[in-house]
Every structure is written in C-alpha cells, then in structure tokens.
Amino acid sequence: VDNVSSFKDGLARVKLDNKWNFININGEIISDKWFDDVSNPIEGFARVELNDNVFYIDVNGKLYNEYGKPLQE
C-alpha cells in the first residue's frame, strides 16, 4: 500500500501501484475496480476516474454514471 487516507463517511482512500480504491471501516476493499483518481466521499458518494471517464461510487462499491444512474455490472 502506497497511501491510506483518514476515514470520511465510513471510507478511506487507498493507493496501491498508482491506482486508487476505498476501504470500509472493516478494512475491506469496496470495489474490484482500481481507479486512476478518487475524491473524498461526501454524503455516501465519491467521485472516481477510470480511463478518462468520471463515475461515482457509493459506500457499498456500486458505480453510477454522472447522472446518478447505476451502471450494469
């Protein structure tokens, strides 16, 4: 692990090999995807970037497009 932030809204940002993800308060990674950049969560959602695309992720690891529509996995 290259970097771990403090917890905000139940998530901490984690950096590994220049990619980002989040861990919850149990220390579990919330998404199987690793992102190019992430923001601190606000009110249960964080902005994430992957391959020059912007998405939002909730505390459970579910991804949404910029309009708030859930992405199909």
Side-chain angles (χ1 to χ4, degrees):
V1 175
D2 302 325
N3 187 308
V4 178
S5 72
S6 58
F7 282 91
K8 295 186 189 226
D9 272 9
L11 298 177
R13 296 177 295 143
V14 177
K15 185 177 184 181
L16 178 65
D17 296 329
N18 285 329
K19 294 289 185 173
W20 291 91
N21 208 322
F22 294 93
I23 57 171
N24 61 24
I25 57 173
N26 297 319
E28 302 164 326
I29 292 176
I30 68 163
S31 176
D32 60 349
K33 294 176 175 41
W34 285 80
F35 304 98
D36 301 320
D37 196 21
V38 298
S39 68
N40 284 323
I42 299 172
E43 297 182 6
F45 290 89
R47 183 180 184 272
V48 297
E49 293 180 26
L50 181 62
N51 301 326
D52 295 323
N53 293 300
V54 174
F55 303 98
Y56 293 88
I57 193 166
D58 68 16
V59 296
N60 298 309
K62 187 162 184 71
L63 286 172
Y64 299 82
N65 68 17
E66 62 186 310
Y67 304 108
K69 182 178 177 181
L71 298 181
Q72 299 295 327
E73 297 285 328

